Short mmCIF file of all heavy atoms in Angstrom, two decimals:
data_model
loop_
_atom_site.label_atom_id
_atom_site.label_comp_id
_atom_site.label_asym_id
_atom_site.label_seq_id
_atom_site.Cartn_x
_atom_site.Cartn_y
_atom_site.Cartn_z
N LEU A 1 17.64 3.05 13.26
CA LEU A 1 16.22 3.13 13.61
C LEU A 1 15.45 3.95 12.57
O LEU A 1 14.38 3.54 12.10
CB LEU A 1 16.05 3.75 15.00
CG LEU A 1 16.46 2.86 16.18
CD1 LEU A 1 16.58 3.70 17.46
CD2 LEU A 1 15.46 1.74 16.39
N ILE A 2 16.03 5.09 12.18
CA ILE A 2 15.36 5.96 11.21
C ILE A 2 15.24 5.27 9.86
O ILE A 2 14.18 5.30 9.22
CB ILE A 2 16.14 7.30 11.07
CG1 ILE A 2 16.04 8.10 12.38
CG2 ILE A 2 15.60 8.11 9.90
CD1 ILE A 2 16.96 9.30 12.42
N PHE A 3 16.32 4.61 9.42
CA PHE A 3 16.29 3.90 8.14
C PHE A 3 15.22 2.81 8.16
O PHE A 3 14.48 2.64 7.17
CB PHE A 3 17.65 3.30 7.83
CG PHE A 3 17.67 2.46 6.58
CD1 PHE A 3 17.74 3.06 5.33
CD2 PHE A 3 17.59 1.07 6.65
CE1 PHE A 3 17.74 2.29 4.17
CE2 PHE A 3 17.59 0.29 5.51
CZ PHE A 3 17.67 0.90 4.26
N SER A 4 15.13 2.07 9.25
CA SER A 4 14.15 0.98 9.35
C SER A 4 12.73 1.52 9.32
O SER A 4 11.84 0.92 8.71
CB SER A 4 14.39 0.18 10.63
OG SER A 4 15.68 -0.39 10.63
N ILE A 5 12.51 2.66 9.96
CA ILE A 5 11.18 3.29 9.94
C ILE A 5 10.79 3.66 8.51
O ILE A 5 9.67 3.37 8.05
CB ILE A 5 11.16 4.53 10.86
CG1 ILE A 5 11.22 4.10 12.33
CG2 ILE A 5 9.92 5.39 10.60
CD1 ILE A 5 11.40 5.25 13.29
N ILE A 6 11.73 4.31 7.80
CA ILE A 6 11.45 4.73 6.42
C ILE A 6 11.21 3.51 5.53
O ILE A 6 10.30 3.51 4.69
CB ILE A 6 12.63 5.58 5.88
CG1 ILE A 6 12.72 6.90 6.67
CG2 ILE A 6 12.45 5.86 4.39
CD1 ILE A 6 13.96 7.71 6.34
N LEU A 7 12.01 2.46 5.73
CA LEU A 7 11.87 1.26 4.92
C LEU A 7 10.49 0.62 5.11
O LEU A 7 9.83 0.25 4.12
CB LEU A 7 12.96 0.25 5.31
CG LEU A 7 12.88 -1.12 4.62
CD1 LEU A 7 13.08 -0.97 3.11
CD2 LEU A 7 13.92 -2.08 5.20
N ILE A 8 10.04 0.52 6.34
CA ILE A 8 8.74 -0.09 6.62
C ILE A 8 7.61 0.72 5.98
O ILE A 8 6.70 0.17 5.36
CB ILE A 8 8.52 -0.23 8.15
CG1 ILE A 8 9.47 -1.29 8.71
CG2 ILE A 8 7.08 -0.63 8.45
CD1 ILE A 8 9.44 -1.39 10.22
N ILE A 9 7.68 2.05 6.12
CA ILE A 9 6.64 2.90 5.53
C ILE A 9 6.62 2.74 4.01
O ILE A 9 5.55 2.58 3.40
CB ILE A 9 6.88 4.38 5.91
CG1 ILE A 9 6.62 4.59 7.40
CG2 ILE A 9 5.98 5.30 5.08
CD1 ILE A 9 6.96 5.99 7.88
N CYS A 10 7.81 2.72 3.39
CA CYS A 10 7.88 2.59 1.94
C CYS A 10 7.34 1.23 1.47
O CYS A 10 6.61 1.16 0.46
CB CYS A 10 9.33 2.76 1.46
SG CYS A 10 9.96 4.45 1.63
N LEU A 11 7.66 0.18 2.19
CA LEU A 11 7.17 -1.15 1.82
C LEU A 11 5.65 -1.23 1.96
O LEU A 11 4.97 -1.79 1.08
CB LEU A 11 7.84 -2.22 2.69
CG LEU A 11 9.31 -2.54 2.37
CD1 LEU A 11 9.87 -3.53 3.39
CD2 LEU A 11 9.46 -3.09 0.95
N ARG A 12 5.11 -0.67 3.03
CA ARG A 12 3.66 -0.71 3.21
C ARG A 12 2.94 0.09 2.13
O ARG A 12 1.91 -0.34 1.59
CB ARG A 12 3.28 -0.15 4.59
CG ARG A 12 3.59 -1.05 5.79
CD ARG A 12 2.84 -2.38 5.74
NE ARG A 12 1.43 -2.23 5.47
CZ ARG A 12 0.51 -1.95 6.39
NH1 ARG A 12 0.88 -1.79 7.65
NH2 ARG A 12 -0.76 -1.83 6.06
N LEU A 13 3.49 1.24 1.77
CA LEU A 13 2.90 2.04 0.70
C LEU A 13 2.97 1.31 -0.63
O LEU A 13 2.00 1.33 -1.42
CB LEU A 13 3.60 3.40 0.61
CG LEU A 13 3.33 4.38 1.75
CD1 LEU A 13 4.24 5.61 1.63
CD2 LEU A 13 1.86 4.82 1.76
N ALA A 14 4.10 0.67 -0.89
CA ALA A 14 4.26 -0.08 -2.15
C ALA A 14 3.28 -1.25 -2.22
O ALA A 14 2.71 -1.53 -3.28
CB ALA A 14 5.70 -0.58 -2.28
N ILE A 15 3.04 -1.90 -1.09
CA ILE A 15 2.10 -3.03 -1.06
C ILE A 15 0.68 -2.55 -1.37
O ILE A 15 -0.07 -3.19 -2.10
CB ILE A 15 2.16 -3.72 0.33
CG1 ILE A 15 3.48 -4.49 0.46
CG2 ILE A 15 0.97 -4.67 0.52
CD1 ILE A 15 3.77 -4.99 1.85
N TYR A 16 0.30 -1.39 -0.80
CA TYR A 16 -1.02 -0.82 -1.09
C TYR A 16 -1.14 -0.40 -2.56
O TYR A 16 -2.15 -0.64 -3.21
CB TYR A 16 -1.27 0.39 -0.18
CG TYR A 16 -1.96 0.03 1.11
CD1 TYR A 16 -1.30 0.16 2.33
CD2 TYR A 16 -3.29 -0.41 1.12
CE1 TYR A 16 -1.92 -0.16 3.52
CE2 TYR A 16 -3.92 -0.72 2.31
CZ TYR A 16 -3.24 -0.60 3.51
OH TYR A 16 -3.86 -0.92 4.68
N LYS A 17 -0.08 0.22 -3.05
CA LYS A 17 -0.15 0.76 -4.41
C LYS A 17 -0.13 -0.33 -5.48
O LYS A 17 -0.90 -0.27 -6.45
CB LYS A 17 1.01 1.73 -4.65
CG LYS A 17 0.98 2.39 -6.01
CD LYS A 17 2.09 3.43 -6.15
CE LYS A 17 2.03 4.11 -7.51
NZ LYS A 17 3.09 5.14 -7.66
N TYR A 18 0.74 -1.32 -5.31
CA TYR A 18 0.91 -2.34 -6.34
C TYR A 18 0.20 -3.65 -6.02
O TYR A 18 0.31 -4.61 -6.79
CB TYR A 18 2.41 -2.60 -6.56
CG TYR A 18 3.16 -1.37 -7.02
CD1 TYR A 18 4.04 -0.71 -6.16
CD2 TYR A 18 2.97 -0.85 -8.30
CE1 TYR A 18 4.74 0.43 -6.57
CE2 TYR A 18 3.66 0.28 -8.72
CZ TYR A 18 4.54 0.92 -7.84
OH TYR A 18 5.20 2.05 -8.25
N HIS A 19 -0.51 -3.67 -4.89
CA HIS A 19 -1.31 -4.84 -4.49
C HIS A 19 -0.47 -6.12 -4.45
O HIS A 19 -0.87 -7.17 -4.94
CB HIS A 19 -2.49 -5.04 -5.47
CG HIS A 19 -3.35 -3.83 -5.59
ND1 HIS A 19 -4.17 -3.37 -4.59
CD2 HIS A 19 -3.49 -2.95 -6.62
CE1 HIS A 19 -4.79 -2.28 -4.98
NE2 HIS A 19 -4.39 -1.98 -6.22
N TRP A 20 0.70 -6.00 -3.83
CA TRP A 20 1.57 -7.18 -3.70
C TRP A 20 0.93 -8.19 -2.76
O TRP A 20 0.41 -7.85 -1.69
CB TRP A 20 2.94 -6.78 -3.15
CG TRP A 20 3.76 -5.98 -4.11
CD1 TRP A 20 3.57 -5.84 -5.46
CD2 TRP A 20 4.91 -5.21 -3.79
NE1 TRP A 20 4.53 -5.03 -6.01
CE2 TRP A 20 5.38 -4.62 -4.99
CE3 TRP A 20 5.61 -4.93 -2.63
CZ2 TRP A 20 6.49 -3.80 -5.05
CZ3 TRP A 20 6.73 -4.12 -2.66
CH2 TRP A 20 7.16 -3.55 -3.87
N ARG A 21 0.95 -9.44 -3.17
CA ARG A 21 0.40 -10.51 -2.36
C ARG A 21 1.27 -11.76 -2.52
O ARG A 21 2.15 -11.81 -3.38
CB ARG A 21 -1.04 -10.84 -2.78
CG ARG A 21 -2.00 -9.67 -2.74
CD ARG A 21 -3.39 -10.10 -3.20
NE ARG A 21 -3.94 -11.14 -2.34
CZ ARG A 21 -4.55 -10.87 -1.18
NH1 ARG A 21 -4.69 -9.62 -0.77
NH2 ARG A 21 -5.03 -11.85 -0.45
N TYR A 22 0.99 -12.75 -1.70
CA TYR A 22 1.65 -14.04 -1.88
C TYR A 22 1.17 -14.65 -3.19
O TYR A 22 0.00 -14.52 -3.57
CB TYR A 22 1.29 -14.99 -0.74
CG TYR A 22 2.18 -14.86 0.48
CD1 TYR A 22 1.76 -14.14 1.59
CD2 TYR A 22 3.42 -15.49 0.52
CE1 TYR A 22 2.55 -14.03 2.71
CE2 TYR A 22 4.23 -15.38 1.64
CZ TYR A 22 3.80 -14.65 2.74
OH TYR A 22 4.60 -14.53 3.83
N PRO A 23 2.05 -15.36 -3.90
CA PRO A 23 1.59 -16.08 -5.10
C PRO A 23 0.63 -17.21 -4.69
O PRO A 23 0.64 -17.67 -3.55
CB PRO A 23 2.89 -16.66 -5.69
CG PRO A 23 3.86 -16.67 -4.56
CD PRO A 23 3.50 -15.53 -3.68
N LYS A 24 -0.21 -17.62 -5.63
CA LYS A 24 -1.25 -18.60 -5.32
C LYS A 24 -0.69 -19.93 -4.80
O LYS A 24 -1.28 -20.57 -3.93
CB LYS A 24 -2.11 -18.86 -6.56
CG LYS A 24 -3.02 -17.70 -6.91
CD LYS A 24 -3.95 -18.05 -8.07
CE LYS A 24 -4.87 -16.89 -8.37
NZ LYS A 24 -5.80 -17.23 -9.48
N PHE A 25 0.49 -20.34 -5.31
CA PHE A 25 1.03 -21.62 -4.85
C PHE A 25 1.51 -21.57 -3.40
O PHE A 25 1.77 -22.59 -2.78
CB PHE A 25 2.16 -22.09 -5.78
CG PHE A 25 3.44 -21.30 -5.65
CD1 PHE A 25 4.42 -21.68 -4.75
CD2 PHE A 25 3.65 -20.19 -6.45
CE1 PHE A 25 5.59 -20.96 -4.64
CE2 PHE A 25 4.83 -19.47 -6.34
CZ PHE A 25 5.81 -19.85 -5.44
N LEU A 26 1.59 -20.33 -2.84
CA LEU A 26 1.92 -20.18 -1.42
C LEU A 26 0.71 -19.79 -0.58
O LEU A 26 0.85 -19.36 0.56
CB LEU A 26 3.03 -19.12 -1.24
CG LEU A 26 4.42 -19.53 -1.72
CD1 LEU A 26 5.40 -18.37 -1.55
CD2 LEU A 26 4.93 -20.75 -0.95
N GLY A 27 -0.45 -19.88 -1.17
CA GLY A 27 -1.67 -19.61 -0.40
C GLY A 27 -2.29 -18.27 -0.65
O GLY A 27 -3.21 -17.85 0.06
N GLY A 28 -1.79 -17.53 -1.65
CA GLY A 28 -2.35 -16.23 -1.93
C GLY A 28 -3.75 -16.33 -2.52
O GLY A 28 -4.08 -17.26 -3.25
N THR A 29 -4.62 -15.35 -2.18
CA THR A 29 -5.98 -15.27 -2.73
C THR A 29 -6.17 -13.90 -3.33
O THR A 29 -5.30 -13.04 -3.27
CB THR A 29 -7.03 -15.50 -1.62
OG1 THR A 29 -6.94 -14.44 -0.67
CG2 THR A 29 -6.81 -16.82 -0.92
N ASN A 30 -7.34 -13.68 -3.89
CA ASN A 30 -7.61 -12.40 -4.53
C ASN A 30 -8.35 -11.43 -3.63
O ASN A 30 -8.66 -10.33 -4.03
CB ASN A 30 -8.43 -12.62 -5.80
CG ASN A 30 -7.63 -13.35 -6.85
OD1 ASN A 30 -6.43 -13.12 -6.98
ND2 ASN A 30 -8.29 -14.25 -7.59
#
């Protein structure tokens, strides 16, 4: 449970920091 909590927080922070999105061919927009 603790590992999963840390993993989710790290992934969300990484998405905010590096602006990860779906690629355009999968429907990603800007």
Side-chain angles (χ1 to χ4, degrees):
L1 288 166
I2 293 170
F3 175 80
S4 300
I5 289 172
I6 294 172
L7 176 64
I8 291 174
I9 291 175
C10 291
L11 286 175
R12 287 298 312 277
L13 289 172
I15 289 169
Y16 269 113
K17 182 175 181 179
Y18 299 108
H19 304 290
W20 291 344
R21 303 179 61 83
Y22 273 100
K24 288 185 178 181
F25 72 90
L26 289 177
T29 65
N30 293 323

